[in-house]
Amino acid sequence: MPATDPYLVRLAPGVHAYIQPDGGWCLNNAGFVSDGESTLLVDTAATRRRAEALREAIVTAGVPLPRTVVNTHHHGDHTYGNGVFTPEAVVVGHDACRRDQLAAGRQLHRVWPHHDFGDIRITAPTLTYHDRLTVRVGGVEVRIVHPGAAHTLGDSFVHLPDRGIVFTGDLVFHGVTPFVSTGSLRGSLRALEVLRSLDASVVVPGHGPVTDPSVYDTTERYLRYVTEVAAEGHALGHTPLEAARRTGPGEFARLREGERLVANLHRAYAELNGSPEGSPLDAAALFADMTALNGGVPVACHA
């Protein structure tokens, strides 16, 4: 199978990760847990075509289609495909995930108006929770936990404590630059500590290949780098774009989507200015600065 095709990774009996290489813009991961009678799906995909391919992968694995879909956050690459699985499945998410998904609407269409997303109907969670929710799929305990403001205000991670597996959503990227502009830089660092406390040996990131807890260290180093660049640039009176151009990606040049540095600096500056975590930023300004940092090339949707 070509490396660009989505693929399944069997993590444990009845537990699979669905990986969409190479993890760039809108190429998210999903996963599912099944006992052969019922199935829980973690996240969907950015286009109708990709969500239908995910649906077919579940069928090919020989398990029933999901009765439960968990959204790890509201961004369209993780939620646009919800409608492929409803009304047969109930969509679950944090309270803020539902609120922000409904408020954002056709969010990816606004960023990439000429991309073919297919027949997308915004399908927000109808079952929400505040702190944590436990679901059982046969004998498998599935813990859905809100770590606080991090990648967004409504993040969830999905932890299978008896299997030592965690689906992190976009709290973690592997081989791809983290993205915290819609959430909190400080909160993302706190979320890493929560993830470390789980003692899960298998980590399914929101983007990039399946990995292990060492990814937390890489993510933390990057976020602390952003913190340092922001503190220095802010003190010097530089704009986020000036700070990003002055410092560059440092040791993180190997990560995909390096233009996210300037978007992350916008969030760091907002926090230095005392803005609440997750307070809205000017999305047009963020993407304009990312385009500038990317050599004038607009960021592309790869889905």
Side-chain angles (χ1 to χ4, degrees):
M1 176 184 294
T4 55
D5 288 346
Y7 60 91
L8 285 178
V9 179
R10 184 179 181 272
L11 306 175
V15 184
H16 292 78
Y18 183 78
I19 308 300
Q20 296 194 96
D22 53 8
W25 288 102
C26 294
L27 291 176
N28 68 300
N29 296 331
F32 54 93
V33 183
S34 182
D35 66 348
E37 295 185 2
S38 63
T39 302
L40 178 146
L41 173 64
V42 181
D43 284 333
T44 56
T47 69
R48 180 86 187 190
R49 176 179 60 84
R50 286 184 174 270
E52 288 174 346
L54 170 58
R55 187 180 189 276
E56 184 59 32
I58 295 170
V59 172
T60 300
V63 302
L65 290 171
R67 296 179 184 175
T68 306
V69 173
V70 179
N71 286 160
T72 59
H73 59 290
H74 75 278
H75 288 162
D77 52 336
H78 295 254
T79 63
Y80 260 23
N82 287 356
V84 169
F85 300 94
T86 58
E88 293 78 12
V90 172
V91 181
V92 179
H94 186 262
D95 298 333
C97 174
R98 172 182 167 81
R99 180 198 68 212
D100 291 345
Q101 189 178 342
L102 290 172
R106 295 164 71 86
Q107 51 191 279
L108 300 184
H109 287 74
R110 291 194 294 276
V111 178
W112 294 286
H114 303 297
H115 193 82
D116 182 11
F117 292 101
D119 180 16
I120 296 300
R121 299 171 187 176
I122 302 304
T123 307
T126 55
L127 176 61
T128 65
Y129 76 99
H130 186 66
D131 292 317
R132 61 179 57 218
L133 176 69
T134 299
V135 179
R136 287 174 175 80
V137 180
V140 179
E141 181 181 352
V142 180
R143 297 178 182 174
I144 306 166
V145 181
H146 174 55
H151 177 65
T152 69
L153 290 179
D155 291 303
S156 299
F157 62 79
V158 179
H159 181 213
L160 281 54
D162 298 335
R163 300 291 191 271
I165 298 167
V166 61
F167 295 86
T168 67
D170 286 359
L171 299 173
V172 171
F173 294 75
H174 182 209
V176 185
T177 304
F179 191 56
V180 300
S181 68
T182 55
S184 170
L185 177 59
R186 295 168 183 157
S188 293
L189 287 164
R190 292 194 301 267
L192 289 174
E193 291 308 307
V194 177
L195 290 170
R196 284 189 175 105
S197 74
L198 304 178
D199 199 28
S201 60
V202 177
V203 178
V204 183
H207 295 254
V210 175
T211 185
D212 58 50
S214 66
V215 74
Y216 303 150
D217 297 334
T218 305
T219 304
E220 180 178 358
R221 286 201 312 274
Y222 175 81
L223 295 176
R224 295 203 181 281
Y225 177 70
V226 173
T227 302
E228 293 168 3
V229 172
E232 184 174 353
H234 191 271
L236 292 171
H238 293 166
T239 67
L241 182 57
E242 289 169 340
R245 282 175 164 162
R246 181 176 59 85
T247 61
E251 67 172 289
F252 306 100
R254 61 183 176 79
L255 298 180
R256 285 185 53 83
E257 324 294 2
E259 68 275 3
R260 292 176 180 172
L261 172 60
V262 68
N264 294 330
L265 287 172
H266 273 274
R267 174 54 61 192
Y269 273 45
E271 292 183 0
L272 287 169
N273 290 333
S275 297
E277 294 180 348
S279 56
L281 301 180
D282 184 340
L286 292 183
F287 277 89
D289 276 2
M290 284 192 284
T291 296
L293 193 61
N294 200 34
V297 178
V299 297
C301 176
H302 302 295

